[in-house]
Amino acid sequence: MAEKNENVIFVGSKPPMNYVLAVITQFHNGAKEVEIKARGRAISRAVDVAEIVKNKFMPDIKAENIQLGTEEIQTEQGNKLNVSTITIKLKK
Amino acid sequence: MAEKNENVIFVGSKPPMNYVLAVITQFHNGAKEVEIKARGRAISRAVDVAEIVKNKFMPDIKAENIQLGTEEIQTEQGNKLNVSTITIKLKK
């Protein structure tokens, strides 16, 4: 189950609590591992989500295997732009 | 040398390139390891800095041992606020 894409939460521009609840729901549904992914400015929020899950709701969770990366995206003007990405693997 | 605080770069609100140059300078001065630290919204920028150093300047560098954390800060109004932190260890 831990390998499936269902256990990935993409963090965007909504309030952190939305994503926190999504992560907790995944764990309550039996996931042993949940991946939090974000890019660009949402990276800070992804770290907030991981920290809130760990500190306020599930102290037994561990953030391990944090991966950084770069993706090339196309702007509306047709230019190419590099954006940083983060993947935080939370494990029960 | 790798244990010293001199090898820590605190990423704030300046343009990423400022910090990229600071990191590269540390390595050129003989550091085997440079730590990039940031908190709050600067976390996204810290990831940018690590990725730019790795992809554009020093492809042999590895980002390992990425640590997330939470710090309590005091606002100007005297309230307590939790801020997320990141530490990215770059190694030659």
Side-chain angles (χ1 to χ4, degrees):
Chain A
M1 177 151 194
E3 311 309 306
K4 283 191 199 165
N5 267 344
E6 305 163 21
N7 295 335
V8 177
I9 308 288
F10 290 94
V11 172
S13 53
K14 292 180 193 161
M17 263 327 198
N18 293 36
Y19 306 107
V20 169
L21 288 177
V23 171
I24 293 171
T25 304
Q26 299 268 18
F27 277 120
H28 283 188
N29 287 346
K32 297 272 175 256
E33 218 175 275
V34 176
E35 271 185 23
I36 301 174
K37 283 175 179 275
R39 59 188 198 180
R41 287 197 218 157
I43 288 175
S44 310
R45 192 170 293 116
V47 174
D48 288 342
V49 170
E51 285 293 301
I52 294 169
V53 170
K54 210 174 58 180
N55 294 335
K56 307 264 183 197
F57 297 97
M58 308 184 79
D60 48 327
I61 240 72
K62 274 175 196 156
E64 51 177 45
N65 206 348
I66 301 165
Q67 305 266 353
L68 309 181
T70 303
E71 271 178 30
E72 203 176 63
I73 61 163
Q74 197 102 15
T75 65
E76 286 176 16
Q77 288 79 32
N79 300 320
K80 279 172 184 172
L81 201 70
N82 285 329
V83 214
S84 300
T85 62
I86 197 167
T87 304
I88 304 167
K89 206 172 270 184
L90 294 180
K91 216 164 186 172
K92 231 178 185 171
Chain B
M1 178 151 192
E3 311 308 308
K4 281 192 199 165
N5 267 344
E6 304 163 21
N7 294 335
V8 177
I9 307 288
F10 289 94
V11 173
S13 54
K14 292 181 193 160
M17 263 329 199
N18 293 35
Y19 306 106
V20 169
L21 288 178
V23 171
I24 292 171
T25 304
Q26 299 268 18
F27 277 120
H28 283 188
N29 287 345
K32 297 272 174 254
E33 219 175 274
V34 176
E35 271 186 22
I36 302 173
K37 283 174 179 277
R39 59 188 198 180
R41 286 195 220 159
I43 288 175
S44 309
R45 192 170 294 115
V47 174
D48 288 342
V49 170
E51 285 293 300
I52 293 169
V53 170
K54 210 175 57 178
N55 295 335
K56 308 265 183 197
F57 296 98
M58 308 183 78
D60 47 326
I61 240 73
K62 274 176 195 154
E64 50 178 44
N65 205 350
I66 302 165
Q67 304 267 355
L68 308 182
T70 302
E71 272 178 27
E72 202 176 63
I73 60 164
Q74 197 101 15
T75 65
E76 287 176 16
Q77 288 79 33
N79 300 321
K80 279 173 184 172
L81 202 69
N82 285 329
V83 213
S84 300
T85 63
I86 196 167
T87 304
I88 303 167
K89 205 173 272 184
L90 294 181
K91 216 166 187 173
K92 231 177 186 172

